[in-house]
Amino acid sequence: MSSHEVEILTVGDELLRGEIVDVNSSTIARRLLDVGLQVEMSVTVGDEKDEIINALREMARRSRVVMVTGGLGPTQDDRTAEAAAEAFGRRLILHEGALERIKTIFRKYGLELTPNNMKQAYVPEDAQVIINPVGTAPGFGFKEGGCLLVFLPGVPREVESMLGEVIERLVKPHCSPGTAVRSRMFRIFGMTESKIDQLMKGALDSLEGVSLASLPHYPENRLRVVARASTPQKAEELLLEAQRRIEERLGDCVYGFDDEELEVVVWRLLYESGRTLAVAESCTGGLIAHRITNVPGSSEVFLRGFVAYSPQAKVELLGVPPSVLEREGAVSATVAEAMARGARERAGADLAVASTGIAGPSGGTEDKPVGTVYLALADSNGAWSKRFLFRGERGQIKITASTAALDWLRLYLQGRNPQQYEIPWSWRGP
Amino acid sequence: MSSHEVEILTVGDELLRGEIVDVNSSTIARRLLDVGLQVEMSVTVGDEKDEIINALREMARRSRVVMVTGGLGPTQDDRTAEAAAEAFGRRLILHEGALERIKTIFRKYGLELTPNNMKQAYVPEDAQVIINPVGTAPGFGFKEGGCLLVFLPGVPREVESMLGEVIERLVKPHCSPGTAVRSRMFRIFGMTESKIDQLMKGALDSLEGVSLASLPHYPENRLRVVARASTPQKAEELLLEAQRRIEERLGDCVYGFDDEELEVVVWRLLYESGRTLAVAESCTGGLIAHRITNVPGSSEVFLRGFVAYSPQAKVELLGVPPSVLEREGAVSATVAEAMARGARERAGADLAVASTGIAGPSGGTEDKPVGTVYLALADSNGAWSKRFLFRGERGQIKITASTAALDWLRLYLQGRNPQQYEIPWSWRGP
């Protein structure tokens, strides 16, 4: 195989048995890309020491940087530090700073220090140690020939907390990339991947150094643009021109950029316009409220949520007339609108959104199959509702419905007519 | 490297740029383990055709089965089918069944068929085609020497929907493993990984063919036991003995097995005892309701949820006395208990749980730092509350608090004294 800039090695039987998902590789790749380093291969091996040693030696031969995660924990099957030492003929030595850190944590949380926790303070000789601010296992790095090898624990939030220092103290001094790289992710809802691909075809061809990748990210789609140039300024200019062309073609469907979740965009629009929100949820079961309250500062705009699961709750909490429930059923346009209106009035909020539908797996009928969802939006002028048919399992229907509700609210807050909301990949009934 | 039973290849620049997380590898690994096949290495490469070809040839040389995901989509950077054909000198041919399937989907959802969608109907000659029941890209498989190569699209729910058929029609006929394998995952909440490791040390040593792996899975921990024997019955017996020993040592902290989420366990306990539930959430912001309503059939036991984010909402929705709010603050034992009592009474439910706390990043004080959470549980005899200090970011505090609430409810439903609930890794204040 060809020579690579960066390779990632993740270690753990639990990964090869499918018991956990590897999120560290993507975190590391994203952070390295921000400093212009491209991961070119990623490998996962189990806890067998020989497999780790083989992989380390092979990767060190063909790469400039090798980032390793996993196998630094306190248990008997954590063998990465041992393998790292053995692969390159180094001894393991006790690191006093790391040991002190472990003792401090155990004291702070009143935990009993077990002997296997002390094992985590041993690192290969001549390694630079990176203290773990949120856990016990330190990270470390050393050079072997022209390759920098960095070792981090496997717990995702520990990796995240250490990456900044790893990149500044170890990776950047080792690599000084000659190319400036800028990248941006465009977050899109309400357009299929094929449609996006078709609209974008050739759009960026004249921009040398710019590449585009389409990333389905259920129920959204994402476009990643990477611009490479000789200077940071030129790369930034390329990126801005690419952004202009993308927004021209995809319009309103682009709801945000990079790490900006849809709920953050909605929160910002509410906050900036000084408006408050209430939500009334049946089929989404609290998910809309959960997403909004994930945003720091959400208490400034979010007043209350009603999870009105039973018919009685819809009547008592939201003032839905029992006669309407009986005549039209809980899954209907009138009930959705009454829920939104009731939530808005009772919470004293400027706006409300509501959901009622059939998340499945049972409860569907011929008229209203599983996936049928009515969403409603209410403001001081009244309430509007829309019918959708969402595909997938219960969890997916909840996610898609909550995303559509937030996206509708976003477009409303951006001044669009609430009656014109559409998402083409859902079937809309009578 | 040594010869491997199964290797996984995932393809996609988006993976190497960290834009999406690879969940397919773990799904595949888990399903193969169920039929006794162990994945021994997993590799990710980008969309470069040559990199895919190199990886495929190398993996086919050293493995009995190679499972490939990604790069079968409609866009220009989807090159896996082409690479698969070229790697082993095969032509790509149009598969009529796959084309028909694509046309049907587009008709059903009223979508426009673009030419790049038709590209997905081309597969390498002599391949067996696996129709994709939830998407457009078919899967396919062929043998090369002694190796079976299987290709699936990259969308996780498509992989999940096709794996059953892939294993039955392609993998099982190719491999007839001589060893019977049974595995079980034990789900644990409220015990540190080190403590579990210490308690389990040596516990399974006398059981030949049984291995144990510890898997931190924030905020839970998990133990995976794999039992190998000459017959399925012997493997099952080994597994049962391992289970007996684990439960003896870890006791109440084991809340479930395999795919059984904590909310499913709680739902089952409620359902079987004929009791109903209401929730009143402040700092968890709808997450407890969301988790409960993720369970199919939750409407049988879950009546309603109150997301009482503002002080006014706590007063109006749940009847928390304004004087108590003023005297003790919203984050207090008395308010948590009043919320649980109010939710239970107003919903007409048998039980209620409530949360109030400081999820951060701001809002903490010296007395009540970020992470301080009061949970309460109410039944017909009254209400109890507990104070916790949870570590981490806003999202983690919400998750841990919702898990603790559900776990407390589980133990209550299993007959434990609600006043004795403890989780050792959180600090409990005065």
Side-chain angles (χ1 to χ4, degrees), chain A residues 1-2 4 13-23 25-27 29-30 33 38-46 51 54-55 58 74-78 105-106 109 111-112 114-117 134 155 157 185 192-195 197-198 201 211-218 222 224 226 284-287 289-291 293-299 302-310 312-313 316-317 346 360-361 389 391-396 398 424-425 427, chain B residues 1-2 4 13-23 25-27 29-30 33 38-46 51 54-55 58 74-78 105-106 109 111-112 114-117 134 155 157 185 192-195 197-198 201 211-218 222 224 226 284-287 289-291 293-299 302-310 312-313 316-317 346-347 360-361 391-396 398 424-425 427:
Chain A
M1 296 212 183
S2 62
H4 288 151
D13 284 348
E14 65 274 24
L15 294 160
L16 292 181
R17 289 205 205 99
E19 288 150 340
I20 59 168
V21 165
D22 169 32
V23 294
S25 295
S26 78
T27 308
R30 217 162 37 229
L33 202 63
Q38 169 77 54
V39 174
E40 279 156 312
M41 184 179 275
S42 170
V43 174
T44 305
V45 297
E51 291 265 335
N54 285 339
E58 198 170 312
T75 68
Q76 299 158 51
D77 54 10
D78 289 308
I105 290 183
F106 275 72
Y109 289 98
L111 299 172
E112 201 183 319
T114 56
N116 44 15
N117 289 111
V134 297
V155 181
R157 65 190 200 105
M185 189 159 69
T192 60
E193 190 189 6
S194 307
K195 184 76 187 172
D197 194 50
Q198 197 191 6
K201 198 167 184 143
S211 65
L212 183 72
S214 172
L215 319 160
H217 196 277
Y218 186 84
R222 298 182 181 174
R224 178 83 169 195
V226 179
T284 51
L287 179 55
H290 169 51
R291 290 179 65 173
T293 61
N294 276 345
V295 184
S298 49
S299 57
F302 179 69
L303 301 183
R304 67 182 77 170
F306 303 86
V307 186
Y309 228 53
S310 66
Q312 204 188 342
E316 290 178 16
L317 290 178
R346 297 189 177 201
L389 182 66
R391 289 190 266 174
E393 303 303 307
R394 182 178 181 86
Q396 293 173 317
K398 284 180 75 177
W425 38 269
W427 169 85
Chain B
M1 296 211 183
S2 61
H4 288 151
D13 283 348
E14 65 274 23
L15 294 161
L16 292 181
R17 290 205 203 97
E19 288 151 341
I20 57 167
V21 165
D22 168 33
V23 294
S25 296
S26 78
T27 308
R30 220 165 30 232
L33 202 61
Q38 169 78 52
V39 173
E40 276 156 314
M41 183 178 277
S42 169
V43 174
T44 305
V45 298
E51 291 266 334
N54 284 341
E58 199 170 312
T75 70
Q76 298 158 52
D77 53 9
D78 289 308
I105 290 183
F106 275 71
Y109 289 99
L111 299 171
E112 200 183 320
T114 57
N116 45 14
N117 289 111
V134 297
V155 180
R157 66 191 198 104
M185 189 159 68
T192 60
E193 191 189 5
S194 307
K195 184 75 187 174
D197 195 51
Q198 196 191 7
K201 199 170 182 139
S211 65
L212 183 71
S214 172
L215 319 161
H217 196 278
Y218 185 87
R222 297 181 181 176
R224 178 81 170 196
V226 178
T284 50
L287 179 54
H290 169 51
R291 291 178 64 174
T293 62
N294 276 345
V295 183
S298 48
S299 56
F302 179 69
L303 300 183
R304 66 182 80 170
F306 304 86
V307 187
Y309 228 53
S310 66
Q312 206 187 339
E316 289 178 17
L317 289 179
R346 296 189 179 202
R391 289 190 266 175
E393 303 303 308
R394 184 178 180 85
Q396 293 172 316
K398 284 179 75 178
W425 39 269
W427 170 86

Side-chain angles (χ1 to χ4, degrees), chain A residues 29 88 208 280 371:
Chain A
F88 306 108
E208 206 180 323

Side-chain angles (χ1 to χ4, degrees), chain B residues 349-395:
Chain B
D350 298 308
L351 298 168
V353 290
S355 72
T356 180
I358 300 152
S362 63
T365 64
E366 201 173 313
D367 275 7
K368 293 173 184 171
V370 168
T372 302
V373 173
Y374 288 88
L375 298 176
L377 194 159
D379 69 7
S380 60
N381 296 314
W384 302 267
S385 66
K386 291 271 172 188
R387 177 174 176 162
F388 303 90
L389 181 66
F390 298 123
R391 289 190 266 175
E393 303 303 308
R394 184 178 180 85

Side-chain angles (χ1 to χ4, degrees), chain A residues 175 206 249 392:
Chain A
C175 315
S206 64
R249 277 164 178 81

